[in-house]
Amino acid sequence: MKTLILTEKVDAGCQVAEALYNIGIKEGDFGSSASLIKKSHGKKGFLVGGDYTVVWTNGHLGVDMSPSVLNETYALKFGFIEGFDYSMPLLRKEMKRGVKKDRIPLAKLIKDLIKNGGFERCFVCTDGDAEGERIAHDALVVFGSLGKSVDVRRMWVTGAFNTVKVIKEQLETALPWSHEKYTRLLDSQRARSVGDYLQGMKSTKILVDIYGAKLYSGRVKNTIIGMIGDRELEIKNFSPKKYFTIKGVFGGISLAHFFMKEVEDVDKSGKLVSKLERSTLYFSKSDKDRVLAEIEAVGRRGVVTRFTKTLSRSKGRPLPLSGDDFKSEMAKKYKLSLEESGKILQYLRDEGFTTYQGTNGRYFSRDEEVIVAIAYKTALAVFNGDENIKSASFGLEAGLFDDAKAKKQNHPPLHLTERIPTVADYEKWASSSIKRVKEGYELIAKRILVHFLEEDSFESIKLEIDIASHLFDASGVKPIKQGWRVFVGEEKKDDSFSLNVNQGDSVRLDDLSIEEKETTKPKLYSEGEVLATLMNVSRVLNEKIDEEDDPQKKLRLKQAKNILKNVEGIGTDRTREMILKELGENGLLNYKKEITLTKEGWILYEALPEPLRSILYTAVWEEDFEKIRRGELCYDDFISKVEDGLKGVIEYIISHVNKDKRAMVSVAREVIKTSLVCPLCGNWVVDSGAVFKCEKQKFKNNKQSGCPFGILKTQKLLAAKFNEKLVGRLLAGEVLSAPNGNKICLDLESKFFTRIEFAVGFNGEELSGSESDGVVETAKTFRLGGKFCFKEAFGKKLTKAEATKILQGQEIKLKRVSKAGKPYEITVWLEEGGKFGSGF
């Protein structure tokens, strides 16, 4: 039976092929050794073995088209438009899914495979999450036009794809893709994506137009702006509060006085409950004085209610790392930025030392025993000679294995591959411009190996004394065996104590003391702290819960915490850093060691309705997404609720516009990123109002710098005005005809980057506008007819003969040398926008 298998990434596709090879399918691309399968796919971008074809999407093929492309009136105008309906009621219906510019060849490949492959069966093997459902739906249905007669099944794989047991089991038992488990999951992702699109685009349009500044809005952006603004206001308005703690001394041991106070909380279902919570702080002097008086009234005499010594071992060990966990750890340990830490992960993966860096995983399933065993073996080799790993023993009982938690992840955690660094590798890392590569690699390795080392053990000591119903306690730990802790530098300190008392003994405190302290002012967020907070929103919510006096608001915050406790943070491992960077680039954040809002950032903070910048907003959405997955809420009802809420948001922004704040910003020129690629440097083309130009073009002090590419919107000689679509046709090599009969084509040698062909020449003769058949060489490109390619190809200039073949639609083989000095051969062909496609 001819079968198509769709994966999300090249690695996953090759792993599936490797598993099929090990099952017994050793034909075609699967016929080589499993370790060479990835190298065999070449330009074609897919693998064929027997009746199986494996193809991958390389992430999302699709993107929601920007509003300005759908309807020119939706473009950002940086000036309020009287009479325009900023609720944009038709935007939802006008939304369209388009193929990403750099994914067009891949989308066409998948569509052609479906059209010509004669497949009777298809397995969706994208990542086991809602995002994977959307990626597959785009590739197979929206862009691939997969027929309804094909039997489509869902391989639900949450870990490694090369595990023979998992792939074999899924081939036999995979549920139909139409099963409600998957349709609901797809609906939840569509709800998230479309809801975020509508919320971001509509609120951005009104904010940008009404204030004339780049006040770009979005659910995660607003949350970050809210967090940082709240912290700044908290610091500005901070007033220290005095509090008291009571200490006792018995037998030379310091004891803390504590009491249990009743607080409101929520249970797992979100209902209000009461619970007792330990506290050591008295904010009232009268309460503190009352307690002291009652203790002194009995002569400080009481009874030992508890004195225990218990042998224990640590239940958990430092977990393997997700991508964001790694960045957070490197920020804490070495003060690296998110970008610097990301470069380490990208480098280690590119060089084949570690695995996919965009993971949110912290656990492995037992089905992934093989890949964990490889990582374990590599880690042993890396730390060979370290006395602390002599106890290492591999086993499935290790704490990093958890099938239930692994199922909720999009990928396994960061781990090592079979490649072991050599002395030359370490020397290269030491001299690299990328900081702390060795430390980053060893951090990943230690988080795997630590789970297979000997246990620690310690004696826990606990003393509790009751004096006139007031409790004092002390605790200590006596390490017996540090075990795995020595390897990762987390040894327990010995703070044990010894007393000759038993439970029930009458005792008297030797001394009593009072400490008067003040609450401390919070600090500004650092980049790493913002990331850590987005990963673990409970931190913010705990602070807000502690500060809130209104019982109803406090309850809502606790309910939000309950909802978000199982959510993988706000944003994703691949978007948090990007969004932070965008906020800085758009002038909303002072993006330094300590992050604060800029002048424009404060305008956005104050212009947004409070709910929009609150974590509660995200909590409500997450609750609705879960309801969609459970079948308790449908997609259409959720989107209708979002749109109804946005009407109120837009009304609020318009009615609460701060004209003084509006005057604080200079009206920005409209600069809109288009879907076009610069023919000179390959960066994006932007619409700056009067000109379509390269985004890398700068103009300061009446001097232009950066990429010179630009085309005027208004063409007087054509009696016409360009829009994005027309410029796109021009860049694609078309000769355009104007209303007055003149023609225009792209000319990269002209300072205007266009050439006009007049309908009638100045002497009355007609001009043909024909071009030479030869290859023309410009400063940065080779051009033939309407096609062009860049001169530079993988670190070296193309020859004119090589450029001619490429421009004629042929593929060529180029010999190059890597940065490490190793020669390699690469196959190159021409794709849209003058870019090169390649395969090894």
Side-chain angles (χ1 to χ4, degrees):
M1 184 183 293
K2 296 205 72 176
T3 302
L4 176 68
I5 298 179
L6 180 79
T7 68
E8 198 167 311
K9 301 174 185 69
V10 178
D11 290 355
C14 295
Q15 287 174 349
V16 170
E18 181 183 335
L20 292 172
Y21 170 91
N22 290 324
I23 289 171
I25 300 165
K26 302 184 179 182
E27 308 167 47
D29 295 321
F30 301 177
S32 56
S33 168
S35 62
L36 299 177
I37 284 177
K38 185 175 180 181
K39 297 179 181 179
S40 71
H41 66 82
K43 174 190 172 181
K44 66 183 181 182
F46 60 95
L47 297 163
V48 179
D51 286 334
Y52 290 91
T53 298
V54 181
V55 68
W56 42 87
T57 66
N58 284 340
H60 279 282
L61 291 179
V63 63
D64 292 317
M65 294 181 181
S66 68
S68 59
V69 173
L70 300 172
N71 186 328
E72 204 168 82
T73 64
Y74 295 159
L76 306 178
K77 300 301 182 184
F78 291 80
F80 187 71
I81 308 167
E82 293 291 344
F84 180 77
D85 186 352
Y86 278 95
S87 69
M88 296 189 281
L90 298 179
L91 178 58
R92 175 185 173 187
K93 292 181 180 179
E94 292 174 334
M95 281 182 69
K96 287 183 182 177
R97 197 82 172 152
V99 181
K100 289 182 176 178
K101 187 84 173 176
D102 59 343
R103 298 285 199 277
I104 291 174
L106 187 51
K108 184 178 183 301
L109 167 68
I110 294 171
K111 186 171 184 176
D112 289 345
L113 280 175
I114 291 171
K115 181 180 178 181
N116 304 316
F119 299 112
E120 304 163 78
R121 185 174 60 165
C122 175
F123 284 99
V124 173
C125 198
T126 49
D127 291 351
D129 55 21
E131 204 80 7
E133 292 302 308
R134 185 65 181 274
I135 288 171
H137 187 264
D138 276 351
L140 297 176
V141 179
V142 179
F143 308 130
S145 303
L146 185 69
K148 293 183 179 179
S149 61
V150 180
D151 179 18
V152 187
R153 302 269 162 171
R154 181 50 156 119
M155 281 192 182
W156 193 252
V157 182
T158 55
F161 293 85
N162 61 346
T163 307
V164 173
K165 177 186 173 185
V166 172
I167 298 299
K168 189 174 182 180
E169 181 184 85
Q170 289 295 314
L171 286 172
E172 295 170 356
T173 63
L175 294 171
W177 195 31
S178 58
H179 191 281
E180 63 180 15
K181 171 183 176 181
Y182 307 124
T183 57
R184 289 173 181 173
L185 203 58
L186 174 61
D187 280 347
S188 74
Q189 200 287 330
R190 288 175 58 232
R192 183 188 297 274
S193 174
V194 175
D196 278 337
Y197 178 94
L198 294 172
Q199 191 276 321
M201 297 304 180
K202 291 187 179 187
S203 56
T204 293
K205 170 71 173 167
I206 181 60
L207 285 163
V208 167
D209 284 4
I210 208 165
Y211 283 98
K214 296 179 182 178
L215 305 185
Y216 299 151
S217 175
R219 186 161 59 101
V220 179
K221 287 186 176 81
N222 296 344
T223 302
I224 294 172
I225 291 291
M227 279 169 43
I228 294 168
D230 288 348
R231 177 61 60 85
E232 286 194 71
L233 289 176
E234 188 182 350
I235 293 170
K236 180 181 178 181
N237 300 323
F238 178 77
S239 178
K241 293 167 66 176
K242 288 185 179 180
Y243 66 89
F244 305 91
T245 60
I246 303 173
K247 300 274 187 182
V249 177
F250 174 69
I253 307 302
S254 176
L255 296 94
H257 164 59
F258 70 98
F259 59 96
M260 303 302 292
K261 62 178 182 180
E262 191 172 353
V263 297
E264 287 186 337
D265 206 341
V266 291
D267 61 17
K268 291 182 179 180
S269 65
K271 293 181 180 178
L272 182 65
V273 295
S274 294
K275 72 173 188 178
L276 293 176
E277 187 174 84
R278 176 189 167 102
S279 179
T280 60
L281 310 181
Y282 285 102
F283 286 95
S284 165
K285 182 177 182 298
S286 59
D287 286 346
K288 177 262 300 182
D289 291 341
R290 175 183 56 79
V291 171
L292 286 176
E294 290 174 1
I295 292 172
E296 293 291 359
V298 296
R300 303 180 192 166
R301 294 186 180 278
V303 62
V304 176
T305 53
R306 180 181 179 186
F307 186 61
T308 57
K309 294 183 179 182
T310 310
L311 288 177
S312 305
R313 62 179 178 82
S314 298
K315 292 180 180 179
R317 304 185 186 190
L319 288 171
L321 301 162
S322 71
D324 275 355
D325 288 331
F326 176 87
K327 293 173 186 176
S328 184
E329 287 292 320
M330 295 301 284
K332 283 191 291 186
K333 288 177 180 289
Y334 306 110
K335 308 301 180 187
L336 296 186
S337 69
L338 302 185
E339 185 177 5
E340 289 170 330
S341 299
K343 285 180 179 178
I344 296 173
L345 288 181
Q346 187 67 55
Y347 173 80
L348 290 173
R349 190 197 182 208
D350 288 346
E351 294 292 314
F353 290 105
T354 57
T355 52
Y356 179 58
Q357 71 274 36
T359 174
N360 67 353
R362 295 181 178 92
Y363 293 92
F364 295 92
S365 72
R366 286 171 176 78
D367 288 334
E368 292 162 344
E369 177 184 356
V370 173
I371 64 171
V372 179
I374 290 170
Y376 166 79
K377 185 177 179 181
T378 302
L380 285 180
V382 169
F383 296 107
N384 182 34
D386 189 325
E387 293 291 316
N388 299 308
I389 68 168
K390 285 187 175 181
S391 65
S393 177
F394 188 83
L396 290 176
E397 71 283 352
L400 48 58
F401 289 109
D402 190 314
D403 291 344
K405 291 179 179 176
K407 283 182 179 179
K408 298 178 180 179
Q409 303 170 170
N410 64 358
H411 292 284
L414 294 169
H415 57 279
L416 310 185
T417 64
E418 292 174 309
R419 183 175 180 184
I420 300 169
T422 62
V423 173
D425 288 320
Y426 283 117
E427 290 174 351
K428 184 178 176 182
W429 294 354
S431 60
S432 172
S433 60
I434 303 173
K435 303 176 185 176
R436 303 285 186 178
V437 177
K438 177 176 180 289
E439 289 82 354
Y441 179 77
E442 291 184 349
L443 174 62
I444 295 169
K446 284 185 175 183
R447 288 299 186 93
I448 301 293
L449 189 52
V450 68
H451 290 269
F452 302 101
L453 303 181
E454 68 174 344
E455 295 177 346
D456 65 336
S457 61
F458 50 89
E459 184 180 63
S460 296
I461 305 166
K462 182 74 176 178
L463 170 68
E464 186 179 284
I465 297 174
D466 184 325
I467 301 176
S469 297
H470 297 294
L471 301 174
F472 290 81
D473 69 355
S475 60
V477 171
K478 180 179 182 180
I480 297 171
K481 181 172 63 177
Q482 295 284 6
W484 58 267
R485 290 183 172 277
V486 181
F487 179 60
V488 291
E490 292 188 9
E491 297 96 327
K492 282 185 176 289
K493 293 181 180 179
D494 187 343
D495 57 0
S496 60
F497 54 86
S498 180
L499 289 171
N500 187 24
V501 295
N502 294 297
Q503 185 171 325
D505 286 355
S506 295
V507 293
R508 181 182 184 277
L509 292 182
D510 301 324
D511 197 7
L512 200 62
S513 63
I514 310 301
E515 288 189 7
E516 182 178 325
K517 298 181 179 179
E518 285 187 342
T519 53
T520 56
K521 182 185 291 188
K523 295 180 180 179
L524 292 169
Y525 279 112
S526 68
E527 183 187 52
E529 286 167 344
V530 171
L531 176 63
T533 302
L534 293 174
M535 290 165 58
N536 181 6
V537 292
S538 294
R539 298 180 188 185
V540 177
L541 289 170
N542 283 337
E543 291 172 5
K544 289 183 177 293
I545 288 166
D546 288 341
E547 295 165 3
E548 186 55 63
D549 295 323
D550 185 316
Q552 291 302 315
K553 289 183 179 179
K554 180 169 283 198
L555 176 59
R556 288 213 318 274
L557 287 167
K558 289 183 176 181
Q559 288 170 331
K561 180 183 173 183
N562 187 56
I563 293 165
L564 291 169
K565 67 183 178 184
N566 294 319
V567 174
E568 284 294 335
I570 295 175
T572 68
D573 293 77
R574 302 294 280 174
T575 61
R576 295 178 190 121
E577 179 185 349
M578 179 182 71
I579 291 171
L580 263 175
K581 191 174 181 182
E582 281 181 5
L583 288 170
E585 289 174 348
N586 291 328
L588 299 171
L589 296 182
N590 289 310
Y591 203 70
K592 299 175 182 177
K593 285 187 177 181
E594 292 180 329
I595 299 181
T596 57
L597 299 183
T598 62
K599 179 175 62 180
E600 283 78 9
W602 276 113
I603 293 172
L604 177 57
Y605 178 94
E606 293 171 3
L608 288 169
E610 193 278 332
L612 233 63
R613 61 176 194 260
S614 168
I615 289 174
L616 285 170
Y617 190 74
T618 285
V620 172
W621 279 43
E622 292 296 341
E623 187 176 38
D624 282 346
F625 298 149
E626 185 58 39
K627 286 180 180 178
I628 292 171
R629 288 189 282 271
R630 293 197 302 260
E632 298 170 8
L633 180 67
C634 72
Y635 165 83
D636 286 328
D637 287 347
F638 170 79
I639 295 299
S640 294
K641 186 167 78 168
V642 169
E643 292 208 294
D644 288 344
L646 283 171
K647 289 177 185 176
V649 167
I650 291 161
E651 289 170 3
Y652 176 92
I653 292 171
I654 293 173
S655 62
H656 288 76
V657 62
N658 187 326
K659 293 180 180 178
D660 293 334
K661 294 287 184 182
R662 193 175 178 183
M664 287 172 63
V665 296
S666 56
V667 177
R669 293 178 64 192
E670 181 184 10
V671 178
I672 303 169
K673 191 173 182 178
T674 71
S675 60
L676 307 176
V677 176
C678 174
L680 295 186
C681 67
N683 286 291
W684 294 108
V685 171
V686 296
D687 177 355
S688 66
V691 181
F692 286 100
K693 65 176 186 176
C694 177
E695 66 177 341
K696 295 300 180 183
Q697 185 180 126
K698 307 294 181 187
F699 195 81
K700 190 174 182 180
N701 298 327
N702 294 319
K703 289 185 179 180
Q704 188 188 82
S705 61
C707 181
F709 178 76
I711 293 178
L712 289 169
K713 274 188 174 184
T714 302
Q715 298 281 339
K716 293 182 179 178
L717 293 175
L718 298 173
K721 190 172 182 178
F722 274 168
N723 58 24
E724 181 179 339
K725 186 176 181 180
L726 290 173
V727 174
R729 288 170 60 188
L730 201 65
L731 294 180
E734 285 191 45
V735 177
L736 305 181
S737 297
N740 62 9
N742 292 338
K743 295 183 178 181
I744 186 169
C745 63
L746 185 69
D747 185 353
L748 297 180
E749 294 179 340
S750 164
K751 65 178 182 179
F752 298 109
F753 298 99
T754 55
R755 186 171 75 249
I756 304 294
E757 299 176 357
F758 296 98
V760 179
F762 291 113
N763 59 358
E765 296 178 350
E766 293 186 1
L767 301 177
S768 65
S770 62
E771 295 184 8
S772 168
D773 292 332
V775 171
V776 176
E777 184 175 353
T778 70
K780 294 186 179 181
T781 66
F782 287 107
R783 182 165 61 85
L784 178 63
K787 293 184 178 180
F788 71 91
C789 68
F790 297 109
K791 285 183 177 179
E792 186 86 2
F794 302 93
K796 191 176 177 182
K797 180 183 173 182
L798 291 172
T799 65
K800 202 163 187 177
E802 289 170 338
T804 301
K805 287 182 180 180
I806 287 178
L807 290 168
Q808 289 173 345
Q810 301 178 46
E811 64 178 58
I812 62 171
K813 293 186 184 295
L814 300 177
K815 292 184 178 181
R816 295 291 187 262
V817 178
S818 71
K819 291 181 180 178
K822 294 183 179 180
Y824 66 92
E825 189 173 74
I826 187 168
T827 302
V828 178
W829 60 93
L830 185 64
E831 292 185 347
E832 289 194 21
K835 291 186 175 181
F836 297 115
S838 61
F840 289 92

